[in-house]
Amino acid sequence: MSRATAVAHPNIALIKYWGKRNLALNLPAVSSLSMTLAPWRTRTTVEWGAEHDSLLLNGDAVHGPKAQRVWSFLDRIDPHRPAVRVESDNDFPTGAGLASSASGFAALTLAATRAAGKELNLKELSALARQGSGSASRSLWGGFVHWSRGLLEDGSDSHGAPIPGVERLDPVMIVAVVDEGPKDVGSTAGMQRSAQNSPLYQAFIDDSEACIRVARSAIERADLPALGEVMERSTFAMHGVMHASTPPLIYWKPATVAAIHTVFELRKQGIGAWVTMDAGPQVKVLCARPDADRVESALSTVVPRTMRLQPGGPASVEP
Ligand code: PMV
């Protein structure tokens, strides 16, 4: 038996991934760009060589499809693997559109490959993490990360890569927690539905590379308003795709809309703050550090809980 422990932070996409070009290899239809966030983290320990496969998530034994997703992922690392014991915990809400699958599969990838004695470089680790959960491919690095759609059929060129510049921008991400319950429709099922029948899907795909270019240039110039604006463009395009799917995918709750309007109101008052939402009701607000108190107190009038996150570092194996 050999054992390893790894830690990874979640990430939030500023330029969104929604749709797959290959389901089996989990290849995205678009490139995306994210920010890794601290202090939230997943910590995962893998014992490679146990009596039977077992998964403990936040102290509870997990069975069924959720566990099966982990076993199938470990089969990709070694199809002839021994039984494995996985113990993972998150210090933030799991499965509620707060990117727990990103940090979860990034930490699992690092811990499991290390425990299995495999030496992979960061790009290989990212391409592997992608097959567990797409957004996990971005959680290997800290700061801003670009996950390329890639062109190759085997997906080996679809992995993350870091983008320098987070220190100069010094952004903060405030999470307005609307509802911590699990989401109704998971991201894979939601993406399939949108690709099959949303009349806006192709328009979202067609605009995504332009969004990435605008975001990269904003990061290079340390221009937070430009980055915030293009983040909203990508966010509302993705939610437009979701809303126009049949049946509609509406992850928002009334307080989601209230939080969006709160941020728009702050902007009218001259505060630089911009919203993003994923496959869940939470609103994440990007702003400059000096404005964070003002943004957080405005949001706390419309949602039960707010949390302040800052750029996080790379995933790592514990010594
Ligand atoms: O990689 P998944 O299955 O967690 O899907 C992520 C989808 C979004 O969070 C909505 C967008 C993104 O790019 O993270």
Side-chain angles (χ1 to χ4, degrees):
M1 189 270 283
S2 80
R3 156 204 269 251
T5 298
V7 170
H9 295 293
N11 70 77
I12 299 292
L14 311 186
I15 306 302
K16 303 295 183 183
Y17 148 54
W18 194 252
K20 300 180 197 281
R21 68 179 170 94
N22 179 318
L23 188 61
L25 291 171
N26 207 26
L27 292 171
V30 290
S31 302
S32 54
L33 190 155
S34 61
M35 185 163 100
T36 299
L37 295 170
W40 285 355
R41 60 103 187 104
T42 297
R43 186 168 182 273
T44 301
T45 298
V46 171
E47 277 176 27
W48 199 261
E51 267 180 25
H52 53 86
D53 283 344
S54 67
L55 171 62
L56 215 62
L57 183 57
N58 298 322
D60 297 323
V62 179
H63 306 281
K66 257 195 189 164
Q68 193 46 55
R69 185 170 167 194
V70 169
W71 311 137
S72 310
F73 176 71
L74 297 176
D75 293 343
R76 291 179 194 264
I77 296 175
D78 180 356
H80 308 292
R81 68 175 177 84
V84 173
R85 180 173 191 277
V86 178
E87 190 175 340
S88 188
D89 60 72
N90 296 326
D91 59 2
F92 62 98
T94 301
L98 288 170
S100 55
S101 69
S103 52
F105 275 97
L108 179 64
T109 300
L110 266 185
T113 51
R114 180 60 66 98
K118 308 243 175 210
E119 286 294 330
L120 302 181
N121 65 35
L122 273 172
K123 285 180 181 172
E124 291 165 335
L125 287 166
S126 170
L128 181 59
R130 183 202 78 226
Q131 297 172 57
S133 172
S135 51
S137 66
R138 302 183 305 230
S139 269
L140 272 307
W141 292 271
F144 295 121
V145 180
H146 175 227
W147 168 25
S148 171
R149 171 193 191 278
L151 295 170
L152 299 176
E153 283 300 305
D154 70 357
S156 55
D157 59 345
S158 185
H159 53 72
I163 303 175
V166 82
E167 294 81 8
R168 269 211 307 155
L169 266 169
D170 197 23
V172 164
M173 189 75 93
I174 295 176
V175 181
V177 183
V178 168
D179 183 340
E180 297 184 32
K183 54 191 158 204
D184 292 340
V185 183
S187 54
T188 298
M191 287 180 201
Q192 292 303 103
R193 189 188 298 177
S194 294
Q196 272 157 16
N197 66 35
S198 176
L200 304 183
Y201 180 71
Q202 195 54 45
F204 166 75
I205 304 282
D206 291 345
D207 191 42
S208 68
E209 282 304 326
C211 287
I212 298 262
R213 277 197 299 277
V214 173
R216 291 190 79 115
S217 147
I219 291 169
E220 226 169 273
R221 290 177 285 114
D223 183 343
L224 193 63
L227 185 60
E229 187 175 291
V230 75
M231 178 183 80
E232 287 193 350
R233 166 171 150 194
S234 173
T235 298
F236 288 108
M238 179 181 77
H239 284 274
V241 170
M242 293 166 167
H243 293 185
S245 303
T246 304
L249 281 164
I250 303 188
Y251 290 103
W252 301 354
K253 297 275 164 70
T256 309
V257 180
I260 294 170
H261 283 290
T262 300
V263 169
F264 290 177
E265 199 50 48
L266 284 168
R267 284 225 291 277
K268 278 192 202 150
Q269 295 163 22
I271 307 281
W274 296 269
V275 294
T276 188
M277 291 78 62
D278 293 288
Q282 283 34 281
V283 179
K284 296 112 183 182
V285 182
L286 184 72
C287 66
R289 192 177 298 273
D291 293 327
D293 283 344
R294 188 84 190 269
V295 172
E296 214 172 346
S297 79
L299 287 168
S300 61
T301 63
V302 292
V303 299
R305 191 148 88 102
T306 61
M307 284 180 273
R308 191 182 299 192
L309 299 173
Q310 54 192 35
S316 59
V317 176
E318 287 192 350

